[in-house]
């Protein structure tokens, strides 16, 4: 199975980093195909915790890592990560990836402020404004750092417009051309050696029969096209976009692994049908340590939503599921699982609503399963789970028609169960 996509199946933070780290052991190359430092992928190795935002999670295992053309890159964040982890493995940075410039961050912040109650709750890392400039054909790309003259020129052209917006529309401070140009020239010197034709590199790896992992950031329900728009990110995390995001053909992808928590969390605004009401919300947040990796915000917690997960299976073509954080559920006597949505006319549907207002109005229909109190860390395989936990996993498999092949039982790298 040479090319495997790892995709978030909910609203992000499913534990993709941990699953990529696990699969990286038997892989030769690990690529990120979209998103930027809005991502925070955690890998826990003994006493050490890595929170990775720009590099593919395979870097912790020392695997060659590719930042694909579909990503947006904040050079300051990337350099800090390279300083910390860069000597572990080779890093290849696509020349076609777009740069998150300081004005993207300023506009993201100012625009969220202006939206007030209507804010999306972004990570304020400049993601939306950067992808918007890419679509407007005004962006600055990684390859522009290869030529100091071009880089300066592009910064000058961009600033002429962005400073007007910042000052007149958003009433915030403009950027000084000389300061930005000098800063980016110094970033450029550091990063030039990493710039590569990553499409060619990945193609060659696949031709040589190597195992390539394609790591998604964010997740299906945050997808710009398929997520809960407008409360989404500005890229396409869905599996199909892995091909565009690294520059290979779609038929090169052999396997799609969806990563889902055994419950659901969401950071930022937007509808969330299975969001827990009452004290269990806080309890789950504490038990699961559900605070944003990037922003430290409280994550909203909900019961497992199989309607949303069924949708994720469909739009990604998921053929295996990694179900993480099952251990967190060990502390609940009863476990509601959302199996259908009830619509305002009283009917029930197993399918995710196609339209925004229908999704807003959807109410969860729960099947309540018994919990278990045994800790899961003594289990050696999926088959050894306590009976109630097995029933829980089997319900997921039956409802989705997809096998759970990996099961997370703790944050630590080794806390994963497979089938015996
Ligand atoms: P990602 O963005 O999808 O990589 O996920 P994050 O790293 O943002 O959030 C997942 C959190 O859950 C991290 O703190 C992980 O260390 C932790 N985690 C991952 N898998 C498990 C698991 O199976 N059990 C528990 N208790 N924690 C886990
Ligand atoms: P990982 O890769 C969870 C959310 C933000 C906000 C929306 C838009 O760690 O799973 P953006 O800054 O992208 O414009 O914000 O998307 N969001 C995430 N939520 N995990 C992430 O990444 C996220 N990246 C963005 O909270 O609701
Ligand atoms: Mg995360």
């Amino acid at each position: 199975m040479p090319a495997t996509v790892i995709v978030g199946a909910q609203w992000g933070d499913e534990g993709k980093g941990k699953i990529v780290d696990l699969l990286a052991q038997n892989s030769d190359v690990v690529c990120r195909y979209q998103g930027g430092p809005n991502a925070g992928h955690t890998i826990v190795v003994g006493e050490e915790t890595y929170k990775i935002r720009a590099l593919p999670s395979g870097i912790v295992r020392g695997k060659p890592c590719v930042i694909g053309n579909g990503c947006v890159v904040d050079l300051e964040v990337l350099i800090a990560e390279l300083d910390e982890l860069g000597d572990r493995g080779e890093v290849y940075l696509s020349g076609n990836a777009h740069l998150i410039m300081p004005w993207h961050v300023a506009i993201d912040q100012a625009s969220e402020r202006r939206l007030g109650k209507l804010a999306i709750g972004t990570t304020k890392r400049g993601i939306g404004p950067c992808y918007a400039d890419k679509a407007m054909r005004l962006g600055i790309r990684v390859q522009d750092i290869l030529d100091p003259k071009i880089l300066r020129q592009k910064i000058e052209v961009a600033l002429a417009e962005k400073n007007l917006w910042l000052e007149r529309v958003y009433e915030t401070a403009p950027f000084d051309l000389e300061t930005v140009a000098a800063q980016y020239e110094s970033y450029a010197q550091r990063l030039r050696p990493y710039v590569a034709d990553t499409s060619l590199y990945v193609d060659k790896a696949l031709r040589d029969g190597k195992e390539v992992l394609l790591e998604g950031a964010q997740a299906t329900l945050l997808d710009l096209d398929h997520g809960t728009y407008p409360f989404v990110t500005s890229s396409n995390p869905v599996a199909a976009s892995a091909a565009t995001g690294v520059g290979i053909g779609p038929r090169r992808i052999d396997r799609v692994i969806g990563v889902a928590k055994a419950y659901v969390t969401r950071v930022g605004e937007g509808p969330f049908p299975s969001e827990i009401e009452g004290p269990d919300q806080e309890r789950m947040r504490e038990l699961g340590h559900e605070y944003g990796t990037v922003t430290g915000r409280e994550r909203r917690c909900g019961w497992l939503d199989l309607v949303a997960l069924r949708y994720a299976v469909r739009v990604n073509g998921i053929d295996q599921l990694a179900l993480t954080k099952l251990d967190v559920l060990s502390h609940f006597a009863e476990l509601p699982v959302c199996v259908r949505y009830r619509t305002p006319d009283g009917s029930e549907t197993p399918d995710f609503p196609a339209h925004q207002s229908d999704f807003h109005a959807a109410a969860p229909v729960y099947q309540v399963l018994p919990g278990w109190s045994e800790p899961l860390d003594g289990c050696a395989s999926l088959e050894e789970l306590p009976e109630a936990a097995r029933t829980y996993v089997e319900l997921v498999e039956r409802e989705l028609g997809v096998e759970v092949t990996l099961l997370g039982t703790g944050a630590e790298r080794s806390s994963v169960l497979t089938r015996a």
Side-chain angles (χ1 to χ4, degrees), residues 119-420:
I120 291 160
T122 73
T123 59
K124 300 196 176 122
R125 295 309 194 268
I127 306 298
C130 180
Y131 277 113
D133 275 355
K134 172 180 177 176
M136 285 283 280
R137 294 149 297 177
L138 291 172
I140 301 180
R141 294 189 291 175
V142 165
Q143 59 185 276
D144 296 324
I145 68 175
L146 298 175
D147 183 330
K149 241 174 81 190
I150 290 182
L151 180 63
R152 191 191 155 90
Q153 236 172 36
K154 293 206 171 182
I155 292 174
E156 191 170 0
V157 170
L159 269 185
E161 191 204 313
K162 299 299 177 189
N163 275 344
L164 279 179
W165 275 93
L166 285 168
E167 286 185 293
R168 300 211 188 150
V169 178
Y170 293 117
E171 296 172 332
T172 124
F175 288 93
D176 171 55
L177 170 64
E178 295 312 323
T179 315
V180 177
Q183 185 175 47
Y184 274 72
E185 179 44 37
S186 99
Y187 291 160
Q189 283 193 27
R190 170 84 162 86
L191 285 168
R192 264 177 217 134
Y194 297 97
V195 183
D197 184 343
T198 47
S199 162
L200 190 67
Y201 178 81
V202 176
D203 179 69
K204 182 165 185 319
L206 288 170
R207 276 175 203 279
D208 292 346
K210 299 210 164 137
E211 298 275 341
V212 175
L213 282 187
L214 304 165
E215 172 181 6
Q218 292 79 54
T220 309
L221 296 167
L222 292 172
D223 186 278
L224 185 56
D225 287 76
H226 301 287
T228 50
Y229 192 91
F231 302 102
V232 294
T233 191
S234 298
S235 67
N236 290 112
V238 293
S241 131
T244 350
V246 294
I248 56 169
R251 294 178 62 182
R252 306 298 287 280
I253 295 171
D254 304 277
R255 180 167 69 157
V256 178
I257 301 180
V259 186
K261 274 179 192 164
Y263 49 99
V264 189
T265 60
R266 173 163 206 180
V267 210
E269 302 309 317
F272 183 2
S274 68
E275 186 163 16
I276 300 172
E277 284 164 17
D280 278 348
Q281 159 91 230
E282 184 63 30
R283 205 167 150 229
M284 193 176 278
R285 182 175 304 121
E286 291 311 315
L287 289 167
H289 305 290
E290 296 297 355
Y291 295 89
T293 312
V294 176
T295 57
R297 289 179 290 175
E298 286 186 351
R299 294 178 181 150
R300 300 155 66 192
C301 298
W303 302 116
L304 185 62
D305 182 343
L306 291 179
V307 180
L309 212 45
R310 191 176 291 117
Y311 175 71
V313 168
R314 162 157 54 104
V315 297
N316 292 295
I318 289 172
D319 30 43
Q320 290 179 30
L321 212 57
L323 200 64
T324 61
K325 304 191 93 161
L326 190 69
D327 52 303
V328 174
L329 296 185
S330 296
H331 306 271
F332 294 86
E334 290 193 324
L335 297 168
V337 176
C338 173
V339 286
R340 288 182 299 283
Y341 288 163
R342 186 173 298 113
T343 58
D345 68 6
S347 61
E348 292 183 4
T349 174
D351 293 319
F352 198 75
H355 296 147
Q356 187 185 355
S357 22
D358 295 336
F359 181 57
H360 268 266
V365 177
Y366 289 116
Q367 180 172 338
V368 180
L369 270 61
W372 57 90
S373 50
E374 304 91 321
L376 305 181
D377 36 21
C379 307
S381 72
L382 267 146
E383 289 78 0
E384 286 183 23
L385 286 172
E387 194 186 335
R390 246 185 3 250
T391 305
Y392 192 87
V393 174
E394 281 163 8
L395 175 74
V396 174
E397 295 183 315
R398 201 166 52 245
E399 287 282 327
L400 303 181
V402 171
E403 199 180 19
V404 173
T405 52
L406 297 170
L407 196 93
T409 56
E412 219 278 333
R413 171 186 261 178
S414 58
S415 301
V416 181
L417 302 183
T418 53
R419 292 192 180 271

Side-chain angles (χ1 to χ4, degrees), residues 12-13 16 39-42 293 299:
D13 304 324
K16 297 177 290 292
H41 297 176
T42 313
T293 312
R299 294 178 181 150

